[in-house]
Amino acid sequence: MAWTIFAVIAVAAMGIAVWHLIVVAFDLPKLLLPTPWQVAEAGWQHRVVLLKSGGTTLWTATVSLVVAVIVGSGVSVLFSQSRLLRRALFPYVVFLQTVPIVAIAPLLVIWSGYEFRTAVIATVIICLFPIVNNVTTGLTSVRPEHDDLLRMYGATRWQKLCRVQLPTAIPFLVLGARVSSGLAVIGAIVAEFFVSNGADYEGLGAVMTGWQARTMTDALMAALAVSTLLGLILFGGVNLLSRLFLKRYLLVK
């Protein structure tokens, strides 16, 4: 663990050093690319706004991830019980993943309004596919010998689901939640670009839109650093919860 932390810090320090050298060597203006110190100063200057907007975005991303896990797991259970249903509906799940959220968000604003729920809906759409794909794979990956044993003892479909399929799918659920944790922050920020236009809703997306209009590059990069931190927090939260409550089911202890 110590070596891992050291390696992460060393890579970050090297990246910051290269960034600073590029700005100095090419004499780049602050408007185009500020130095790391200027970004840090902007972050400290706008710390209250960043904390408040970052908390709003984190809450949106967290709620959306939880909803995506619940809805995606339910859809996956239905898919695992009917091959015909899975073949008929799975392409539409893929469709939600392939359509850009920037194309869906304006429609969601028209249908749902400039509300918190609109940002959640848009973010859930982004997070849903990894959950459905991974959990469905886990539910349909029962070993043949286990399937034969359940059939030999006359187990019902419900017993098969609860005793074998769900425990088998838990590592896949954790994997899907890890992927979706990063997507949740991205989706929340993109949704805020649209939702914040007509409501008192100030997440990072709204703040970044305002700073971009005023060409505050240093503050924008500070907000970008905060969004990265939010993604790490959500990813770490998923890992922590999985190790605390689902450790016995995970493939990697």
Side-chain angles (χ1 to χ4, degrees):
M1 179 63 68
W3 278 108
T4 301
I5 295 175
F6 174 78
V8 171
I9 295 176
V11 171
M14 290 176 59
I16 292 174
V18 171
W19 171 9
H20 180 78
L21 290 175
I22 290 176
V23 174
V24 174
F26 292 96
D27 193 21
L28 298 177
K30 179 181 177 180
L31 183 65
L32 181 62
L33 182 64
T35 64
W37 178 251
Q38 290 172 331
V39 172
E41 286 184 330
W44 178 255
Q45 180 182 354
H46 300 285
R47 61 188 181 277
V48 176
V49 176
L50 289 174
L51 284 173
K52 181 180 178 181
S53 60
T56 302
T57 300
L58 181 61
W59 175 244
T60 303
T62 302
V63 171
S64 302
L65 181 61
V66 172
V67 173
V69 168
I70 295 173
V71 174
S73 299
V75 171
S76 299
V77 169
L78 293 177
F79 284 175
S80 69
Q81 302 304 304
S82 173
R83 182 177 299 178
L84 178 61
L85 187 65
R86 183 167 67 249
R87 290 179 176 177
L89 298 181
F90 194 81
Y92 295 99
V93 178
V94 178
F95 170 77
L96 292 177
Q97 180 70 13
T98 56
V99 175
I101 191 61
V102 292
I104 300 177
L107 291 174
L108 294 178
V109 169
I110 294 174
W111 295 334
S112 181
Y114 296 97
E115 303 290 343
F116 170 75
R117 64 173 178 267
T118 306
V120 171
I121 294 172
T123 309
V124 168
I125 291 175
I126 292 180
C127 298
L128 199 59
F129 178 76
I131 302 294
V132 174
N133 187 48
N134 282 278
V135 177
T136 301
T137 301
L139 291 170
T140 56
S141 298
V142 178
R143 293 183 179 180
E145 58 268 26
H146 293 167
D147 199 18
D148 294 339
L149 183 64
L150 290 170
R151 190 180 299 110
M152 182 178 65
Y153 281 100
T156 64
R157 179 174 293 187
W158 177 254
Q159 289 173 326
K160 177 182 177 181
L161 175 66
C162 294
R163 295 175 181 266
V164 177
Q165 287 182 290
L166 290 178
T168 303
I170 286 178
F172 295 87
L173 171 62
V174 173
L175 178 61
R178 287 172 178 170
V179 175
S180 294
S181 62
L183 295 176
V185 176
I186 297 173
I189 293 176
V190 173
E192 288 167 354
F193 290 156
F194 298 90
V195 175
S196 61
N197 289 334
D200 186 18
Y201 180 86
E202 293 191 358
L204 276 179
V207 171
M208 293 173 73
T209 301
W211 287 344
Q212 184 270 337
R214 289 181 285 173
T215 60
M216 298 170 59
T217 309
D218 51 354
L220 272 173
M221 296 188 70
L224 178 62
V226 172
S227 67
T228 303
L229 180 61
L230 296 184
L232 293 175
I233 291 173
L234 206 54
F235 183 85
V238 170
N239 282 337
L240 179 61
L241 291 176
S242 63
R243 290 189 175 273
L244 286 177
F245 300 105
L246 304 174
K247 186 176 181 179
R248 59 176 296 191
Y249 299 106
L250 299 181
L251 298 176
V252 180
K253 302 295 184 181

